[in-house]
Amino acid sequence: WRRWSKAFWFIEMLRKMSDENEELVKEDEEIGNISMDATYCKVHRTACSMVAHTGELGRLIDGTKGGKNTKLHAVCDGKLRIFDIHLTDGSASDYKGAEVLIGRLPKWGKRLLADKGYDGDQVRKDARSKGLTPCIPGRKNRVKTIRYNKKLYKQRNKIERAFGRIKDWRRVGTRYDRCPEMFLSACALAAIVKFWL
Protein backbone atom coordinates (compact mmCIF):
# COMPACT_ATOMS: atom_id res chain seq x y z
CA TRP A 1 0.00 0.00 0.00
CA ARG A 2 2.75 2.43 0.94
CA ARG A 3 4.86 1.70 -2.13
CA TRP A 4 1.91 2.05 -4.52
CA SER A 5 0.71 5.20 -2.73
CA LYS A 6 4.12 6.85 -2.99
CA ALA A 7 4.05 6.10 -6.73
CA PHE A 8 0.50 7.63 -6.98
CA TRP A 9 -0.67 4.37 -8.57
CA PHE A 10 -4.28 4.69 -7.32
CA ILE A 11 -4.56 8.28 -8.58
CA GLU A 12 -3.39 7.23 -12.04
CA MET A 13 -5.91 4.37 -12.07
CA LEU A 14 -8.71 6.79 -11.14
CA ARG A 15 -7.79 9.22 -13.93
CA LYS A 16 -7.62 6.47 -16.56
CA MET A 17 -11.10 5.23 -15.64
CA SER A 18 -12.63 8.39 -17.07
CA ASP A 19 -11.40 7.51 -20.59
CA GLU A 20 -14.50 5.38 -21.16
CA ASN A 21 -16.65 8.54 -20.91
CA GLU A 22 -15.37 9.70 -24.30
CA GLU A 23 -17.63 7.13 -25.98
CA LEU A 24 -20.49 7.41 -23.47
CA VAL A 25 -20.80 11.19 -23.76
CA LYS A 26 -21.99 10.75 -27.37
CA GLU A 27 -24.92 8.68 -26.10
CA ASP A 28 -25.62 10.66 -22.91
CA GLU A 29 -24.99 14.42 -23.10
CA GLU A 30 -25.36 14.76 -19.31
CA ILE A 31 -22.03 12.99 -18.71
CA GLY A 32 -20.27 15.99 -20.29
CA ASN A 33 -21.32 18.25 -17.39
CA ILE A 34 -18.19 18.34 -15.24
CA SER A 35 -18.66 19.64 -11.68
CA MET A 36 -15.75 20.91 -9.57
CA ASP A 37 -15.65 21.64 -5.84
CA ALA A 38 -13.71 21.06 -2.62
CA THR A 39 -14.60 19.56 0.74
CA TYR A 40 -12.98 19.56 4.17
CA CYS A 41 -11.79 16.34 5.77
CA LYS A 42 -11.28 16.49 9.53
CA VAL A 43 -7.89 15.29 10.71
CA HIS A 44 -7.86 12.84 13.62
CA ARG A 45 -5.58 13.75 16.53
CA THR A 46 -3.36 10.71 15.81
CA ALA A 47 -2.53 12.17 12.38
CA CYS A 48 -1.91 15.72 13.62
CA SER A 49 1.82 15.43 14.20
CA MET A 50 3.08 18.62 12.58
CA VAL A 51 6.68 17.41 12.45
CA ALA A 52 8.08 18.18 9.00
CA HIS A 53 7.30 15.46 6.50
CA THR A 54 10.20 14.44 4.30
CA GLY A 55 8.03 13.87 1.21
CA GLU A 56 7.48 16.50 -1.47
CA LEU A 57 3.89 17.24 -0.42
CA GLY A 58 4.55 18.04 3.24
CA ARG A 59 1.81 17.13 5.72
CA LEU A 60 -1.03 19.12 4.07
CA ILE A 61 -2.69 19.66 7.45
CA ASP A 62 -3.69 23.13 8.59
CA GLY A 63 -5.47 24.59 11.58
CA THR A 64 -8.72 26.52 11.06
CA LYS A 65 -11.56 27.59 13.37
CA GLY A 66 -13.01 24.08 13.23
CA GLY A 67 -9.70 22.43 14.11
CA LYS A 68 -7.11 20.66 11.99
CA ASN A 69 -8.24 19.69 8.52
CA THR A 70 -7.28 18.90 4.94
CA LYS A 71 -9.04 20.03 1.77
CA LEU A 72 -9.97 17.53 -0.92
CA HIS A 73 -10.58 19.03 -4.38
CA ALA A 74 -12.39 16.88 -6.95
CA VAL A 75 -14.14 16.82 -10.30
CA CYS A 76 -17.00 14.52 -11.27
CA ASP A 77 -19.07 13.83 -14.38
CA GLY A 78 -22.84 14.04 -14.77
CA LYS A 79 -23.26 10.55 -13.31
CA LEU A 80 -21.73 11.44 -9.89
CA ARG A 81 -18.48 9.63 -10.73
CA ILE A 82 -15.35 11.32 -9.38
CA PHE A 83 -12.51 10.92 -11.86
CA ASP A 84 -9.77 13.20 -10.49
CA ILE A 85 -8.79 14.50 -7.06
CA HIS A 86 -6.21 16.83 -5.56
CA LEU A 87 -5.22 17.42 -1.93
CA THR A 88 -4.23 20.70 -0.24
CA ASP A 89 -4.07 21.99 3.32
CA GLY A 90 -7.30 23.18 4.93
CA SER A 91 -6.74 26.92 4.49
CA ALA A 92 -5.86 26.72 0.77
CA SER A 93 -8.00 28.65 -1.70
CA ASP A 94 -10.27 26.86 -4.16
CA TYR A 95 -8.19 28.45 -6.92
CA LYS A 96 -5.22 26.26 -5.94
CA GLY A 97 -7.20 23.12 -6.63
CA ALA A 98 -8.76 24.61 -9.78
CA GLU A 99 -5.34 25.40 -11.28
CA VAL A 100 -4.30 21.76 -11.00
CA LEU A 101 -7.59 20.07 -11.87
CA ILE A 102 -8.51 22.20 -14.90
CA GLY A 103 -5.13 21.44 -16.43
CA ARG A 104 -5.90 17.71 -16.21
CA LEU A 105 -9.52 17.74 -17.44
CA PRO A 106 -10.32 15.28 -20.24
CA LYS A 107 -11.33 16.21 -23.81
CA TRP A 108 -14.85 14.77 -23.56
CA GLY A 109 -16.09 17.47 -21.13
CA LYS A 110 -18.60 20.00 -22.47
CA ARG A 111 -19.47 22.29 -19.54
CA LEU A 112 -17.76 23.17 -16.23
CA LEU A 113 -20.05 23.74 -13.23
CA ALA A 114 -18.60 25.37 -10.12
CA ASP A 115 -19.74 27.64 -7.27
CA LYS A 116 -18.84 31.28 -6.51
CA GLY A 117 -15.58 30.16 -4.88
CA TYR A 118 -14.23 29.62 -8.40
CA ASP A 119 -15.43 32.97 -9.74
CA GLY A 120 -12.37 34.35 -11.45
CA ASP A 121 -11.40 35.41 -14.95
CA GLN A 122 -8.43 33.03 -15.01
CA VAL A 123 -10.58 29.98 -14.13
CA ARG A 124 -13.03 30.86 -16.91
CA LYS A 125 -10.19 31.44 -19.37
CA ASP A 126 -8.54 28.09 -18.49
CA ALA A 127 -11.90 26.28 -18.85
CA ARG A 128 -12.51 27.79 -22.29
CA SER A 129 -8.99 26.86 -23.39
CA LYS A 130 -9.89 23.22 -22.60
CA GLY A 131 -13.06 23.50 -24.71
CA LEU A 132 -15.43 23.79 -21.72
CA THR A 133 -18.27 26.27 -21.32
CA PRO A 134 -18.01 27.67 -17.76
CA CYS A 135 -21.20 27.84 -15.69
CA ILE A 136 -19.96 29.76 -12.64
CA PRO A 137 -22.02 32.48 -10.93
CA GLY A 138 -20.26 35.77 -10.18
CA ARG A 139 -19.69 37.21 -6.73
CA LYS A 140 -21.80 40.14 -5.58
CA ASN A 141 -18.83 42.52 -5.47
CA ARG A 142 -18.10 42.11 -9.20
CA VAL A 143 -18.28 45.32 -11.22
CA LYS A 144 -19.55 43.53 -14.33
CA THR A 145 -22.35 41.02 -13.78
CA ILE A 146 -21.56 37.49 -14.90
CA ARG A 147 -24.24 35.70 -16.90
CA TYR A 148 -24.63 31.96 -16.47
CA ASN A 149 -27.19 29.23 -17.16
CA LYS A 150 -29.24 28.98 -13.93
CA LYS A 151 -31.05 25.84 -15.04
CA LEU A 152 -27.76 24.06 -15.76
CA TYR A 153 -26.23 25.35 -12.50
CA LYS A 154 -28.82 23.36 -10.51
CA GLN A 155 -26.90 20.22 -11.51
CA ARG A 156 -23.86 21.37 -9.52
CA ASN A 157 -25.26 19.51 -6.51
CA LYS A 158 -23.89 16.32 -8.09
CA ILE A 159 -20.36 17.02 -6.84
CA GLU A 160 -21.73 17.46 -3.30
CA ARG A 161 -23.55 14.13 -3.60
CA ALA A 162 -20.39 12.50 -4.96
CA PHE A 163 -18.45 13.75 -1.92
CA GLY A 164 -21.15 12.28 0.32
CA ARG A 165 -20.75 8.90 -1.37
CA ILE A 166 -16.99 8.65 -0.82
CA LYS A 167 -17.21 10.13 2.68
CA ASP A 168 -19.32 7.12 3.66
CA TRP A 169 -15.92 5.47 3.88
CA ARG A 170 -14.74 6.28 7.38
CA ARG A 171 -11.13 6.55 6.29
CA VAL A 172 -12.06 9.31 3.82
CA GLY A 173 -14.51 11.18 6.07
CA THR A 174 -11.83 11.48 8.77
CA ARG A 175 -8.14 11.58 7.95
CA TYR A 176 -6.24 9.09 10.11
CA ASP A 177 -3.10 8.99 7.93
CA ARG A 178 -0.18 11.26 8.68
CA CYS A 179 1.28 10.84 5.22
CA PRO A 180 -0.77 12.75 2.60
CA GLU A 181 0.03 10.20 -0.13
CA MET A 182 -1.63 7.46 1.93
CA PHE A 183 -4.75 9.57 2.51
CA LEU A 184 -4.92 10.58 -1.16
CA SER A 185 -4.71 6.92 -2.17
CA ALA A 186 -7.53 6.03 0.24
CA CYS A 187 -9.70 8.76 -1.33
CA ALA A 188 -8.81 7.52 -4.82
CA LEU A 189 -9.64 3.92 -3.91
CA ALA A 190 -13.04 4.98 -2.53
CA ALA A 191 -13.73 6.95 -5.73
CA ILE A 192 -12.69 3.97 -7.89
CA VAL A 193 -15.12 1.65 -6.09
CA LYS A 194 -17.95 4.21 -6.22
CA PHE A 195 -17.22 4.81 -9.92
CA TRP A 196 -18.81 1.44 -10.69
CA LEU A 197 -21.59 1.39 -8.04
Side-chain angles (χ1 to χ4, degrees), residues 12 31 53 61 69 86 100 115 130 150 152 164 180 184:
E12 289 305 314
I31 293 173
H53 180 52
I61 298 172
N69 56 41
H86 179 66
V100 175
D115 61 17
K130 297 289 283 185
K150 292 182 180 178
L152 179 65
L184 194 59

Side-chain angles (χ1 to χ4, degrees), residues 106-159:
K107 295 174 184 174
W108 50 260
K110 303 292 181 193
R111 292 159 291 278
L112 178 68
L113 285 67
D115 61 17
K116 290 179 183 179
Y118 296 93
D119 174 34
D121 296 333
Q122 190 61 45
V123 173
R124 286 186 175 84
K125 184 181 175 185
D126 292 344
R128 286 191 182 99
S129 70
K130 297 289 283 185
L132 296 161
T133 304
C135 182
I136 307 168
R139 291 192 174 106
K140 289 182 180 178
N141 61 355
R142 265 194 172 266
V143 175
K144 188 179 177 184
T145 306
I146 297 293
R147 302 183 81 179
Y148 66 99
N149 187 333
K150 292 182 180 178
K151 186 178 179 182
L152 179 65
Y153 183 71
K154 288 180 180 178
Q155 294 187 32
R156 197 199 64 82
N157 71 75
K158 290 182 178 178
I159 186 70

Side-chain angles (χ1 to χ4, degrees), residues 8 15 21 30 53 72 89 95 104-105 109 153 193-194:
F8 297 101
R15 289 178 191 148
N21 283 357
E30 192 178 308
H53 180 52
L72 180 67
D89 58 81
Y95 288 118
R104 296 191 306 226
L105 287 178
Y153 183 71
V193 173
K194 293 295 185 181

Side-chain angles (χ1 to χ4, degrees):
W1 175 261
R2 184 176 176 80
R3 192 168 62 247
W4 288 356
S5 295
K6 290 284 186 184
F8 297 101
W9 191 81
F10 295 99
I11 301 296
E12 289 305 314
M13 186 194 298
L14 179 63
R15 289 178 191 148
K16 285 180 181 170
M17 288 176 72
S18 74
D19 292 345
E20 72 163 31
N21 283 357
E22 195 158 0
E23 290 300 317
L24 294 175
V25 77
K26 293 170 187 172
E27 301 166 18
D28 190 350
E29 190 72 20
E30 192 178 308
I31 293 173
N33 295 337
I34 295 175
S35 300
M36 180 169 54
D37 204 1
T39 187
Y40 290 102
C41 299
K42 290 281 185 188
V43 177
H44 194 265
R45 61 179 179 77
T46 56
C48 284
S49 170
M50 297 305 284
V51 177
H53 180 52
T54 54
E56 61 182 61
L57 294 179
R59 286 268 184 233
L60 297 181
I61 298 172
D62 200 10
T64 57
K65 288 180 183 177
K68 306 274 186 207
N69 56 41
T70 294
K71 207 172 199 180
L72 180 67
H73 305 263
V75 286
C76 78
D77 63 14
K79 297 289 183 187
L80 279 76
R81 299 180 301 188
I82 292 174
F83 59 86
D84 199 1
I85 55 177
H86 179 66
L87 201 64
T88 60
D89 58 81
S91 62
S93 167
D94 288 344
Y95 288 118
K96 261 191 178 178
E99 283 174 16
V100 175
L101 293 174
I102 289 178
R104 296 191 306 226
L105 287 178
K107 295 174 184 174
W108 50 260
K110 303 292 181 193
R111 292 159 291 278
L112 178 68
L113 285 67
D115 61 17
K116 290 179 183 179
Y118 296 93
D119 174 34
D121 296 333
Q122 190 61 45
V123 173
R124 286 186 175 84
K125 184 181 175 185
D126 292 344
R128 286 191 182 99
S129 70
K130 297 289 283 185
L132 296 161
T133 304
C135 182
I136 307 168
R139 291 192 174 106
K140 289 182 180 178
N141 61 355
R142 265 194 172 266
V143 175
K144 188 179 177 184
T145 306
I146 297 293
R147 302 183 81 179
Y148 66 99
N149 187 333
K150 292 182 180 178
K151 186 178 179 182
L152 179 65
Y153 183 71
K154 288 180 180 178
Q155 294 187 32
R156 197 199 64 82
N157 71 75
K158 290 182 178 178
I159 186 70
E160 305 293 353
R161 289 158 57 195
F163 279 135
R165 289 175 72 188
I166 65 166
K167 279 189 168 184
D168 285 342
W169 289 42
R170 188 175 173 192
R171 189 169 179 180
V172 176
T174 304
R175 178 177 167 178
Y176 296 97
D177 302 288
R178 287 187 184 181
C179 183
E181 292 92 349
M182 306 297 145
F183 180 64
L184 194 59
S185 292
C187 295
L189 183 60
I192 288 166
V193 173
K194 293 295 185 181
F195 196 95
W196 297 111
L197 296 180

